[in-house]
Amino acid sequence: MKCIQPNYIKNFYCDGKKCGARCCRDWRIVVDEDAYDKFSELETSAREEIFEHTEWVEDEREGVDILVLKLREDGVCSLLGEDCLCSLQKKHGEEFLTAICQSFPRVTYKLDEEFFQQSMTLTCPIAAKLILLQTSPITFEEVEKVTTRAVIGFKQKISRPVEEFLKIQMQAVAILQDRNFSINQRLKNLFEMFAPKNLPGVKFNLSKHSATITEIFLQTYATNLTAKRKKDLRQNYFLYREEILTQIYKNFGNVFENYLVNEFFMRCYPCAYSGGEFHNIKIFITACRVLEFSLVLTAIARKNLTAEEIIQIIYSVNDMLDHSQGGMDAIIDFAHSCNAENFMVQML
């Protein structure tokens, strides 16, 4: 077994006291078979105490009942203590956590019988700081152990032999980490790596970009605005985009480099979504532009952004894209709707 992972993973330590245990609230925590068996093997009083915090609910997607941990009225897991630590883990050890609790924020893919990939999602604020604030480029290492029980099968989505896929992925990462180029030029270089050859020369049109990204952003956030308010957003973005992004990338270029690299690796680009590798690259770049839009609008309102505020914006955007219903739909639809030339005009 070989697991490819970024260097930051070995430095991660979960501590709910540092983030208010954000991952222990507002979502359904399924009791997997392994956890259920461990609970059942405990002595009667301990077993009953745990199962008092569970309930059977219907899984609408699968049409079956599943066992989940109960949430309190405020949406917090009923096993979370006032100290923001899991009472289950404190009493019985980490091995008694459900698979999702034991694994999060790690994201693990099984590429084939031999190769795995493991990284971390930025929807964990502690992981986000660990990943985004490091000043040196993210490096990767090969280990012989997968440390999580929740593993996503990915073999069917890869369009190349695994060794070739990993090689292409690292070539793309190298482009995103090439500090001889601006962030914008790195995205152009990434696009050209996967785009059809001999594309005609076209120029980026800021006006078209502003109109397009405004619509994508509003659809992503399911926001209905008046025509005037929408026009104001588009014009403000048009007027201040270059100035604000230039300043942000000058001061926090490492944050965005780390964001791009982690997103590319963590989501298994260029095969994250169906539709082919080039389609995936268009999705990746468009999602980056959505983040830029959010940053520019926030900077206009707040004048200056700190590293902490930028990380919070990245966290919020990723949370929306990952956890809201249809969060990625507008981005995927746009990438599907335009050919290479139109994409370059509007996004590059």
Side-chain angles (χ1 to χ4, degrees):
M1 177 188 299
K2 299 177 182 179
C3 182
I4 314 299
Q5 63 184 35
N7 61 341
Y8 61 70
I9 282 187
K10 58 180 177 288
N11 298 321
F12 176 79
Y13 176 73
C14 179
D15 186 349
K17 292 181 289 187
K18 291 183 178 179
C19 65
R22 293 190 188 185
C23 64
C24 300
R25 63 187 73 233
D26 298 327
W27 63 325
R28 190 165 64 184
I29 303 170
V30 177
V31 178
D32 58 285
E33 184 176 346
D34 184 56
Y36 182 88
D37 290 342
K38 287 184 180 296
F39 298 167
S40 300
E41 292 170 359
L42 291 171
E43 61 181 31
T44 302
S45 60
R47 179 176 68 248
E48 290 179 349
E49 181 183 8
I50 293 175
F51 281 121
E52 284 179 359
H53 294 277
T54 66
E55 61 183 346
W56 290 94
V57 300
E58 182 182 0
D59 186 339
E60 296 179 357
R61 291 177 299 179
E62 301 294 333
V64 297
D65 288 342
I66 56 175
L67 189 65
V68 301
L69 296 180
K70 291 180 181 179
L71 300 181
R72 299 197 294 261
E73 290 185 1
D74 58 1
V76 176
C77 177
S78 59
L79 287 170
L80 187 69
E82 294 183 0
D83 56 1
C84 287
L85 297 177
C86 176
S87 60
L88 179 64
Q89 181 175 351
K90 287 173 67 176
K91 288 183 179 181
H92 303 288
E94 183 179 347
E95 65 272 18
F96 277 80
L97 293 174
T98 66
I100 188 62
C101 294
Q102 184 266 344
S103 302
F104 186 84
R106 300 167 189 85
V107 179
T108 307
Y109 292 105
K110 183 178 181 180
L111 306 183
D112 65 9
E113 295 305 315
E114 182 181 5
F115 284 99
F116 292 75
Q117 277 192 186
Q118 187 172 108
S119 53
M120 289 188 178
T121 172
L122 299 177
T123 52
C124 167
I126 296 177
K129 288 184 179 180
L130 176 67
I131 296 165
L132 298 175
L133 289 179
Q134 69 176 61
T135 56
S136 57
I138 294 173
T139 58
F140 297 84
E141 61 183 359
E142 182 179 299
V143 298
E144 297 181 354
K145 182 180 180 181
V146 174
T147 59
T148 62
R149 302 205 313 271
V151 177
I152 303 168
F154 207 75
K155 182 177 180 180
Q156 301 302 319
K157 297 186 72 172
I158 298 176
S159 57
R160 303 170 180 264
V162 172
E163 292 86 349
E164 186 178 344
F165 167 78
L166 292 171
K167 181 180 179 180
I168 292 293
Q169 196 176 55
M170 286 299 105
Q171 288 175 346
V173 165
I175 289 175
L176 295 173
Q177 290 181 321
D178 191 343
R179 297 183 179 181
N180 292 312
F181 297 99
S182 67
I183 294 291
N184 195 58
Q185 186 60 52
R186 294 181 219 182
L187 292 176
K188 290 182 179 180
N189 294 343
L190 179 70
F191 179 85
E192 291 173 359
M193 175 181 174
F194 292 90
K197 305 306 178 186
N198 302 316
L199 286 175
V202 294
K203 290 186 178 181
F204 173 69
N205 186 307
L206 180 55
S207 179
K208 290 184 178 180
H209 170 72
S210 299
T212 298
I213 206 65
T214 299
E215 290 297 330
I216 294 174
F217 182 86
L218 295 178
Q219 289 177 43
T220 298
Y221 279 79
T223 303
N224 293 319
L225 299 179
T226 64
K228 182 182 184 305
R229 178 57 178 153
K230 189 183 297 186
K231 180 180 178 182
D232 290 342
L233 283 180
R234 184 171 64 248
Q235 288 183 336
N236 282 334
Y237 184 74
F238 176 85
L239 290 172
Y240 297 105
R241 176 184 187 269
E242 300 299 330
E243 175 186 348
I244 290 175
L245 289 183
T246 297
Q247 192 65 28
I248 289 176
Y249 286 139
K250 177 182 177 181
N251 295 331
F252 306 106
N254 64 300
V255 173
F256 280 89
E257 175 186 304
N258 294 335
Y259 162 75
L260 293 172
V261 169
N262 194 70
E263 283 293 289
F264 200 91
F265 185 82
M266 186 269 294
R267 299 186 189 278
C268 270
Y269 281 105
C271 296
Y273 301 93
S274 59
E277 293 181 351
F278 180 51
H279 176 62
N280 270 262
I281 296 305
K282 291 190 288 182
I283 293 172
F284 176 77
I285 293 172
T286 305
C288 177
R289 298 309 194 199
V290 168
L291 173 60
E292 288 179 341
F293 185 87
S294 183
L295 286 164
V296 170
L297 294 185
T298 307
I300 292 172
R302 299 182 185 177
K303 305 302 181 185
N304 293 303
L305 294 178
T306 65
E308 290 284 337
E309 289 172 327
I310 289 174
I311 290 176
Q312 179 58 43
I313 294 168
I314 292 174
Y315 168 84
S316 297
V317 171
N318 270 39
D319 190 52
M320 171 61 68
L321 297 180
D322 282 346
H323 296 141
S324 67
Q325 185 175 5
M328 286 292 295
D329 287 354
I331 293 172
I332 293 172
D333 290 346
F334 168 74
H336 180 75
S337 69
C338 57
N339 61 24
E341 293 176 46
N342 289 333
F343 186 86
M344 293 172 69
V345 170
Q346 297 179 76
M347 293 292 154
L348 292 170

